[in-house]
Amino acid sequence: MIHKLFILFIFVFSHAYSQFGSQQIISIEAETASGAYAADIDGDGDKDIITSCRSGNFHIAWFENLDGLGNFGIPNIIETNLFDQSYSIYSADLDNDSDFDVITTAASADRVLWYENIDGLGSFGPQKVITGNADGAFSAIAADLDGDGDNDVISASNFSGLAWYENLDGQGNFSTTKIIDNNITSSRSVVAADLDGDGDLDVVGNGNAPNTVRIFWYENLDGLGNFGPLRVIRDFSVYANVIFVADADGDGDMDVFSASPGDSEVAWHENVDGLGNFGPKNTITNTLLNAWTVYAADLDNDNDIDVLATSAETFGGEVVWFENLDGQGTFGPKMIITTDVEFPRRVYAADIDNDGDIDPISVSQNDDKIAWYENMTIIGVEENQTENIKVYPNPVKDMLNIVGQKDLNISTTMLYDTYGRVLFQRNGFVSQLNFANYASGVYFLKLKTDTDEQIFKVIKE
């Protein structure tokens, strides 16, 4: 039976704006806090917070979202005996048991590590070493680089560049190091995204390559994790600290964002042809003192990508955002979310209170604080049924069918999660999407034409 489907948003709003509530503390015990990530650790349908710290009573911990509204419990310690600085935190299902495991790094020990969520309720096993040879391991993420349906791990290291580790059996047993590029240094940030529109995941990084500060990318040549040579996105006169990938200009391909503290700049770089050829920088701001980090998501529910960033000062700083005014990458002036932070190292975003919008999360090192800010977005819309497109079944377990009139001329089919991350993107009309490997929750299907867009809310059972 075809279920009735309603458009989640229409795109001529009577009014839509984003403002943020006061700081809500998750923890002030995260000593020299370095990272945070949101995931449903205990399987209760809301977003919990995982944190990493460089010192203190816990290095890795998670905080339960007790009521799904953003009231958090005490730290649930995952690791107390790391005896090393952890600069990054990430969560993904590494052993194919449908819960979220945790990935982190130990810089001085040159380790990339993961912790198994044993019961899907947030009880974690001991650390499992993916590698002990990532010299100055700084950050690590998970992504399916070889197209076999499980999550591999990618690391960025200070002294041994970029590498990845194949999940050999889908159970979290990893290969030895597969080098992407070990001729770069000071590599601190890594992202996996399809930059050339060929359906597999490429790798974006930053660092000295070899004697020039750059952001760059590597093409996944065959979809199996064999990578081509370094391709320059931009050369910098100062270090680009954090990079992020999202569609800044609404043309259906992935652009690259950067934050560089040395010149107080946040910028984006256009993927001009969808094939990974990049144009000159587009400056969002060059007056954000010590611009430390950048994150992109739709903060005001107008269906384009806005930007979060931080100004990191030893005893102060700001968490700020910039509105994408036209959906094409023209950004407005700085808008302050908070100044009640000391050296905010990271900013992140997820729907913390289950109200359908994206809430910012800040990680500030010098006041040991993890906090979030309620997105008070108000949208004057009515739900409208469309007769041109039907999506079923909804809720979906496995295969989602998309049926539309042939004259709709769909140019791009995209699927987002509640973090605003693009999970699927394909040029043209796609008649089926496989949801079998997605976690239960809310997703957003976007269908774009040359003149219009429609977004549908899809529930995965």
Side-chain angles (χ1 to χ4, degrees):
M1 177 180 178
I2 297 177
H3 293 263
K4 288 184 178 180
L5 187 69
F6 295 94
I7 298 178
L8 181 62
F9 307 118
I10 59 175
F11 298 101
V12 179
F13 296 120
S14 59
H15 55 276
Y17 62 93
S18 180
Q19 61 181 11
F20 298 95
S22 59
Q23 185 178 87
Q24 301 192 50
I25 303 296
I26 298 170
S27 177
I28 54 172
E29 300 175 352
E31 294 186 38
T32 55
S34 59
Y37 196 89
D40 184 7
I41 295 298
D42 53 2
D44 63 354
D46 55 41
K47 298 294 189 298
D48 309 300
I49 298 294
I50 318 154
T51 63
S52 60
C53 299
R54 296 170 58 196
S55 61
N57 295 326
F58 61 83
H59 281 87
I60 311 296
W62 72 279
F63 298 84
E64 182 184 356
N65 192 339
L66 297 172
D67 54 5
L69 301 175
N71 295 300
F72 288 88
I74 62 174
N76 298 286
I77 297 172
I78 299 173
E79 177 67 87
T80 59
N81 298 314
L82 195 57
F83 299 114
D84 202 352
Q85 297 194 67
S86 178
Y87 285 99
S88 80
I89 196 75
Y90 197 87
S91 186
D93 183 6
L94 294 186
D95 51 2
N96 277 331
D97 60 356
S98 299
D99 56 37
F100 285 92
D101 308 302
V102 170
I103 305 136
T104 190
T105 57
S108 300
D110 304 330
R111 289 182 173 182
V112 179
L113 309 165
W114 78 281
Y115 301 85
E116 181 185 356
N117 190 341
I118 295 172
D119 54 7
L121 301 174
S123 300
F124 285 88
Q127 68 173 241
K128 298 185 177 185
V129 178
I130 297 173
T131 185
N133 298 313
D135 193 359
F138 201 90
S139 66
I141 63 170
D144 184 7
L145 291 185
D146 53 1
D148 62 354
D150 56 40
N151 279 309
D152 310 300
V153 171
I154 315 163
S155 67
S157 305
N158 268 331
F159 306 109
S160 60
L162 293 171
W164 74 283
Y165 314 89
E166 182 184 355
N167 194 338
L168 295 171
D169 54 5
Q171 303 296 312
N173 295 301
F174 288 90
S175 71
T176 57
T177 302
K178 294 176 178 284
I179 295 171
I180 299 173
D181 191 339
N182 60 1
N183 293 315
I184 56 177
T185 59
S186 300
S187 184
R188 305 288 182 83
S189 190
V190 61
V191 181
D194 184 5
L195 292 190
D196 52 2
D198 62 355
D200 56 39
L201 293 177
D202 311 300
V203 169
V204 189
N206 68 342
N208 294 317
N211 298 311
T212 302
V213 179
R214 289 172 166 165
I215 55 175
F216 38 78
W217 73 283
Y218 304 86
E219 182 185 356
N220 192 339
L221 297 172
D222 53 6
L224 301 175
N226 295 301
F227 289 90
L230 179 149
R231 297 178 62 174
V232 176
I233 296 173
R234 178 187 162 196
D235 289 344
F236 286 75
S237 59
V238 296
Y239 190 74
N241 192 50
V242 172
I243 54 175
F244 196 83
V245 173
D247 184 4
D249 52 1
D251 62 355
D253 56 40
M254 295 292 103
D255 309 301
V256 176
F257 295 82
S258 62
S260 45
D263 57 7
S264 302
E265 181 185 83
V266 178
W268 72 278
H269 311 82
E270 183 184 357
N271 190 340
V272 294
D273 55 5
L275 301 176
N277 295 301
F278 287 85
K281 74 173 180 180
N282 298 279
T283 300
I284 298 172
T285 182
N286 56 14
T287 60
L288 186 65
L289 182 62
N290 207 25
W292 199 262
T293 190
V294 63
Y295 191 90
D298 183 4
L299 298 176
D300 52 3
N301 276 353
D302 63 352
N303 200 44
D304 57 36
I305 296 297
D306 309 299
V307 168
L308 287 162
T310 68
S311 166
E313 303 172 51
T314 302
F315 299 109
E318 297 175 325
V319 179
V320 303
W321 76 288
F322 303 88
E323 182 185 357
N324 194 336
L325 298 174
D326 56 4
Q328 298 179 28
T330 302
F331 288 89
K334 177 182 79 174
M335 291 182 279
I336 296 174
I337 297 173
T338 188
T339 58
D340 188 15
V341 285
E342 296 182 7
F343 208 102
R345 290 187 64 93
R346 287 289 184 270
V347 65
Y348 188 70
D351 185 2
I352 295 299
D353 52 1
N354 281 320
D355 63 352
D357 54 37
I358 303 298
D359 309 298
I361 303 156
S362 65
V363 179
S364 43
Q365 169 184 289
N366 291 355
D367 55 6
D368 306 328
K369 186 186 295 181
I370 311 293
W372 74 282
Y373 311 85
E374 183 180 357
N375 191 332
M376 310 296 287
T377 297
I378 300 172
I379 303 176
V381 299
E382 297 178 358
E383 291 183 329
N384 289 299
Q385 189 174 1
T386 175
E387 299 297 334
N388 294 330
I389 299 174
K390 296 184 182 296
V391 178
Y392 67 95
N394 191 18
V396 61
K397 289 183 178 179
D398 298 307
M399 199 66 68
L400 183 75
N401 298 296
I402 308 167
V403 178
Q405 295 179 1
K406 292 182 179 180
D407 59 357
L408 287 176
N409 295 320
I410 301 298
S411 61
T412 309
T413 302
M414 304 175 74
L415 184 71
Y416 294 85
D417 63 11
T418 55
Y419 303 103
R421 296 178 302 189
V422 178
L423 304 178
F424 176 90
Q425 179 173 317
R426 188 72 54 80
N427 291 332
F429 184 78
V430 176
S431 62
Q432 286 189 322
L433 286 179
N434 190 350
F435 274 72
N437 293 323
Y438 293 139
S440 298
V442 177
Y443 296 84
F444 302 109
L445 173 67
K446 179 197 285 186
L447 303 176
K448 299 178 65 175
T449 69
D450 293 337
T451 60
D452 195 10
E453 296 177 336
Q454 293 185 8
I455 288 186
F456 302 91
K457 181 180 180 180
V458 180
I459 307 297
K460 168 64 188 296
E461 290 184 339

